[in-house]
Amino acid sequence: MQNLNIGFIGGGNMAEALIAGLTAAGHAPECVWVTDISKERLDALQAQYGVGVCADIAEVLSASDVVVLAVKPQQIDGVLQKFGELGAEKTVISIAAGISAKHIALTLGNDAAVVRVMPNTPCLVGEGMSVLYSQAGKIHCERAEYVLAASGQTAWVEDEQQMHAVTAVSGSGPAYFFLLAELMQAAGQSLGLSRELSEKLVGQTALGAARMLTESGKSAELLRQQVTSPGGTTQAALEAMFEGHLPDAVRSAIAAAAKRSRELG
Ligand SMILES: NC(=O)c1ccc[n+]([C@@H]2O[C@H](COP(=O)([O-])OP(=O)(O)OC[C@H]3O[C@@H](n4cnc5c(N)ncnc54)[C@H](OP(=O)(O)O)[C@@H]3O)[C@@H](O)[C@H]2O)c1
């Protein structure tokens, strides 16, 4: 796969995260192609990663076996209209939130091999969570898995409707943790810690908790119980969170995100 030609339409944040992951994982940069409206953006990507830049969408399509649609959802239809006849050999990966694989396949023609992906921003640091859905053949699914696995973990869903829940949990999820971090940092400062120290305490605590969650094999509930001594400080904090209806707030927040995803789709 390391010499597969992979083209990106749109060279923004998510495209850069995926390019960084691929090149760091040993994918030949001369087999990565990018086009973007901004020439400065293309120059910057070429200078940093050694990738090839293309003047337009047609050039990316002719250079690539795999084409990643990495523009904003509202720009997808305009991009697809420039595709022309594509054929069944090329893999089209869309990371656009809310745009169904069926919509893309119908626009491109019935034999188009489309893989829909919901990544998240931790792809930028190689710790992304990307969820994939496709009805295309095995080779196309393997190619998409290869592209996304370079920037973090992957999982597949068989029912595209589940992409709404995925968007609400992992797509938007980093923002929930960032909000909690903001609130914890501010609370630390209000108790007299310096901003610098409070940020360090919260960042490292988040990293440590995330590693325990993903590496210990224990559930979040068990890990929580294990750090909560009866009558201790953690129990006092958690009781205050339950009294403040945190579980209800999280449930309705994630339901609201899934509802918004359905509306956008
Ligand atoms: N960021 C996330 O957390 C996240 C998570 C999951 C999925 N996604 C999806 O990832 C996609 C990309 O998001 P992003 O944050 O990387 O967006 P972005 O930074 O705005 O990148 C998109 C880039 O594509 C360029 N572009 C627009 N139309 C083009 C065209 N016709 N030809 C070539 N380039 C074109 C844009 O240029 P202009 O700026 O000039 O328009 C921009 O540089 C979105 O569909 C989003 O839904 C993002």
Side-chain angles (χ1 to χ4, degrees):
M1 292 262 192
Q2 293 196 329
N3 290 316
L4 196 68
N5 279 291
I6 303 171
F8 288 83
I9 298 176
N13 295 317
M14 287 307 290
E16 179 168 3
L18 299 182
I19 291 168
L22 281 166
T23 52
H27 194 86
E30 57 274 20
C31 296
V32 176
W33 307 93
V34 196
T35 190
D36 193 279
I37 290 170
S38 156
K39 173 143 184 353
E40 288 100 74
R41 185 76 194 133
L42 289 177
D43 290 345
L45 290 171
Q46 187 171 45
Q48 183 149 2
Y49 303 100
V51 297
V53 300
C54 296
D56 55 31
I57 291 171
E59 243 183 69
V60 173
L61 291 177
S62 84
S64 311
D65 308 299
V66 175
V67 181
V68 183
L69 300 172
V71 296
K72 294 270 189 241
Q74 61 273 24
Q75 297 164 328
I76 286 281
D77 280 342
V79 165
L80 294 177
Q81 274 153 24
K82 297 192 179 133
F83 264 48
E85 199 55 47
L86 192 67
E89 292 79 35
K90 291 192 197 282
T91 308
V92 178
I93 299 175
S94 168
I95 61 170
I99 309 282
S100 73
K102 193 173 176 189
H103 174 79
I104 296 169
L106 282 175
T107 312
L108 293 180
N110 274 338
D111 59 351
V114 180
V115 182
R116 177 179 172 189
V117 182
M118 174 48 63
N120 66 10
T121 50
C123 282
L124 291 163
V125 292
E127 293 292 353
M129 181 67 241
S130 296
V131 180
L132 299 87
Y133 165 83
S134 182
Q135 290 196 319
K138 190 163 172 263
I139 176 79
H140 300 293
C141 295
E142 285 172 356
R143 286 170 167 182
E145 172 79 27
Y146 169 78
V147 171
L148 276 305
S151 304
Q153 298 289 316
T154 61
W156 288 79
V157 290
E158 288 180 9
D159 175 1
E160 191 170 10
Q161 286 304 310
Q162 290 195 334
M163 279 299 197
H164 299 302
V166 164
T167 302
V169 175
S170 59
S172 302
Y176 315 152
F177 287 101
F178 296 145
L179 174 62
L180 187 60
E182 269 178 78
L183 297 171
M184 286 174 66
Q185 284 165 4
Q189 283 179 255
S190 73
L191 289 173
L193 300 179
S194 69
R195 181 181 173 155
E196 191 188 19
L197 181 58
S198 199
E199 285 177 0
K200 182 169 182 174
L201 298 189
V202 172
Q204 182 59 27
T205 302
L207 183 65
R211 286 195 59 188
M212 286 177 76
L213 200 54
T214 53
E215 294 173 17
S216 69
K218 295 177 183 170
S219 68
E221 186 182 14
L222 180 60
L223 288 167
R224 172 174 59 80
Q225 285 164 353
Q226 286 179 343
V227 293
T228 312
S229 322
T233 57
T234 310
Q235 187 178 29
L238 295 180
E239 277 172 6
M241 287 182 184
F242 281 101
E243 275 163 28
H245 303 290
L246 184 68
D248 287 343
V250 172
R251 265 192 296 274
S252 51
I254 292 183
K259 178 170 177 276
R260 187 69 188 130
S261 171
R262 281 192 293 275
E263 286 165 2
L264 292 173

